[in-house]
Amino acid sequence: MRARRYDSWGRYPTSTPKRIIAPHWQTDIPDLRGLEMGETVLPHGYGRSYGDSCLNNGGTLIDMTRLRRYIAFDEESGLLQCEAGVMLADILATFVPRGWFLPVTPGTKFVSIGGAIANDVHGKNHHGGGTFGCHVTRFELLRSDGSRLLCSPTENANYFRATIGGLGLTGLILWAEFRLRRIPGPYIAEERIKFRTIEEYFEIARDSDERFEYTAAWLDCLTFQRTGGRGFTMLGNHDRLQPLAGKALKAKNLPALPIDAPSFALNPLTMLAFNEVIYRMPPVKHLRRVVPYDGFFYPLDAIGDWNRMYGARGFLQHQFVVPYNDDYRALKTILNAIGKSGEGSFLVVLKTFGERKSPGMLSFPQPGVTLALDFPMRGESTLKLLDHLDSIVREVGGVVYPAKDARMSAANFQAFYPQWQTFATYVDPAFSSTFWRRVTAAV
């Protein structure tokens, strides 16, 4: 068995923790009052955060993945209480056959409940369902002074708000309670509609947000300057179709990538060819079909270690949200800047966020348009481009997602999140991360 590595999913930057604590039971968690002078700790789940918010270089990581047990479930209300290390995939495997689904899910199911709260993840249903934190009813937080805080919207409410989207810095979430939602079956009635320009995408989005619970789009950013933003939307609602009797629904998984892709494999020609194939995957302009939920929500999970396709230097994901109020000029300016830079992105996910506000103090989503892009790490040129994108986002009043970040400046973070100083008063004195030390440096 391969030894566990404590990297981020983007594999940039590299990090070397001083020690790892991996408790099997909550009683195994050491007394954090016994930490060495200056020693910092950070909870770590399954390492699916893209940047350095899950890293604590030179400090201690508390591996929460063995605290993976259910505590209680109310079949009437859908309230589930479980330990923080329970994976979203565990919940889907247990509860989808019983007619329940996650209230909100990101694009991977290999995320812990503690991580889903700490990053206040969002999904394809943000326009109606908000973030994961909107569905959390309470959790227990262990602080380094030994105190245990039961947090809910009405009890220790400030710690509740600080911990949702708080990047694991307010203490150790031991368990959480949240509400699952009923579904008629494990299939999704999916529609894919091709669009030829950004404007056409927004026409489809305005119509589909009311008719579909789940919406998102893939955009070909490599041809934006030539095509004006071609791509296709992915729309879905839960369907009543049931599996055949005695036939359990199983995810279709491909073999994991055995090695890092060579750097020469990622060049403009291969990326253009890849995007051409993706664009032509829906064989007609408007495709309707019924598909298992797994392929609709988690297509990349089918490829084990897919992050290795970016090579040994890793990659950076850059996700931002900008307001609607500029006729998409900021979005177009960013896509033009990417086109001119020669730094391409395979994965470009476009989504509109709704008005539902998260209870999280430092939560990322706000009403507007969000774009998530993956860039192979090519050194200074990649970092320079992302700094430029940050400046465009900052100028129009948008924000960059901390959970995806690995390099934004302290000045930009503090401008994006002016509430960070209030949030900092709830950070546990013994908790820190590589990300937090970087973005709270003096400006």
Side-chain angles (χ1 to χ4, degrees):
M1 180 182 293
R2 188 168 62 181
R4 168 114 200 248
R5 294 177 59 90
Y6 291 90
D7 299 325
S8 68
W9 191 242
R11 303 167 74 194
Y12 175 86
T14 57
S15 175
T16 306
K18 181 180 178 181
R19 65 169 172 150
I20 305 294
I21 299 171
H24 283 266
W25 304 93
Q26 292 187 20
T27 51
D28 296 339
I29 299 170
D31 189 340
L32 298 180
R33 289 171 293 189
L35 294 173
E36 297 176 8
M37 181 69 71
E39 182 180 1
T40 61
V41 297
L42 184 72
H44 191 92
Y46 298 93
R48 289 292 175 138
S49 293
Y50 285 81
D52 55 357
S53 66
C54 65
L55 304 179
N56 189 18
N57 192 38
T60 295
L61 291 178
I62 303 178
D63 181 344
M64 299 293 288
T65 59
R66 296 171 185 174
L67 298 174
R68 195 172 175 176
R69 288 167 282 265
Y70 298 124
I71 298 171
F73 180 63
D74 185 328
E75 194 74 48
E76 294 299 319
S77 67
L79 272 180
L80 174 65
Q81 188 181 118
C82 64
E83 290 184 321
V86 168
M87 190 187 279
L88 300 188
D90 301 334
I91 296 171
L92 294 166
T94 303
F95 291 97
V96 166
R98 295 164 65 172
W100 296 93
F101 199 74
L102 295 163
V104 167
T105 178
T108 175
K109 59 185 176 182
F110 302 131
V111 172
S112 70
I113 288 301
I117 295 173
N119 293 295
D120 199 17
V121 296
H122 59 271
K124 293 182 174 71
N125 64 339
H126 184 273
H127 58 285
T131 66
F132 191 86
C134 295
H135 305 273
V136 175
T137 51
R138 56 180 180 154
F139 53 78
E140 186 174 16
L141 192 67
L142 174 64
R143 302 273 290 179
S144 64
D145 61 2
S147 62
R148 290 173 177 247
L149 304 179
L150 188 60
C151 302
S152 75
T154 56
E155 190 171 0
N156 294 307
N158 284 343
Y159 282 98
F160 182 79
R161 293 179 56 239
T163 302
I164 293 174
L167 304 168
L169 295 165
T170 60
L172 201 61
I173 300 173
L174 298 176
W175 58 264
E177 181 185 80
F178 51 96
R179 199 178 300 277
L180 300 181
R181 48 153 305 177
R182 282 199 180 276
I183 53 171
Y187 290 91
I188 297 292
E190 180 191 31
E191 294 190 24
R192 291 195 176 197
I193 306 173
K194 287 186 178 181
F195 56 84
R196 293 167 296 183
T197 64
I198 288 285
E199 288 79 6
E200 191 175 331
Y201 160 74
F202 281 104
E203 287 178 16
I204 297 170
R206 275 190 290 272
D207 173 61
S208 57
D209 280 359
E210 292 185 2
R211 296 191 299 115
F212 291 91
E213 184 169 3
Y214 304 106
T215 66
W218 172 83
L219 180 74
D220 182 358
C221 81
L222 298 178
T223 63
F224 177 74
Q225 290 177 298
R226 174 165 54 87
T227 67
R230 69 177 185 177
F232 57 83
T233 58
M234 295 162 281
L235 315 169
N237 288 317
H238 291 281
D239 193 83
R240 293 185 177 279
L241 184 68
Q242 299 295 324
L244 295 173
K247 299 285 186 182
L249 202 61
K250 293 182 179 178
K252 294 179 180 178
N253 295 323
L254 301 173
L257 293 183
I259 57 172
D260 297 324
S263 57
F264 66 80
L266 298 171
N267 61 63
L269 287 178
T270 57
M271 295 172 80
L272 278 169
F274 179 86
N275 276 16
E276 189 68 31
V277 170
I278 295 293
Y279 180 68
R280 296 188 182 281
M281 280 178 63
V284 294
K285 179 174 173 56
H286 194 156
L287 174 69
R288 293 183 176 92
R289 60 184 181 178
V290 176
V291 297
Y293 77 86
D294 214 90
F296 179 79
F297 289 104
Y298 316 110
L300 285 174
D301 282 350
I303 308 170
D305 296 335
W306 65 261
N307 55 344
R308 302 186 76 172
M309 78 178 187
Y310 288 99
R313 298 182 73 179
F315 71 103
L316 298 107
Q317 185 163 103
H318 189 267
Q319 183 168 8
F320 61 85
V321 56
V322 292
Y324 287 117
N325 57 7
D326 70 345
D327 197 24
Y328 324 129
R329 280 198 295 270
L331 196 60
K332 293 176 180 176
T333 301
I334 286 172
L335 290 168
N336 275 317
I338 294 170
K340 290 176 183 175
S341 73
E343 301 269 342
S345 172
F346 285 119
L347 178 72
V348 183
V349 178
L350 184 60
K351 165 83 180 134
T352 54
F353 282 151
E355 301 286 338
R356 186 166 179 177
K357 187 174 174 57
S358 168
M361 200 176 286
L362 213 62
S363 287
F364 160 69
Q366 64 182 36
V369 184
T370 182
L371 199 63
L373 308 115
D374 285 352
F375 295 93
M377 179 52 181
R378 294 195 171 109
E380 192 58 33
S381 62
T382 308
L383 297 173
K384 188 175 178 181
L385 170 65
L386 299 189
D387 283 345
H388 180 48
L389 302 189
D390 284 355
S391 66
I392 299 170
V393 172
R394 181 174 171 176
E395 187 176 333
V396 297
V399 297
V400 171
Y401 195 4
K404 303 283 182 73
D405 179 62
R407 42 85 251 158
M408 83 167 88
S409 69
N412 277 334
F413 171 77
Q414 293 170 25
F416 291 143
Y417 297 93
Q419 69 274 33
W420 76 273
Q421 288 179 307
T422 302
F423 166 78
T425 63
Y426 298 98
V427 172
D428 188 293
F431 281 57
S432 186
S433 67
T434 304
F435 169 86
W436 188 241
R437 291 188 287 274
R438 172 166 52 84
V439 300
T440 55
V443 175

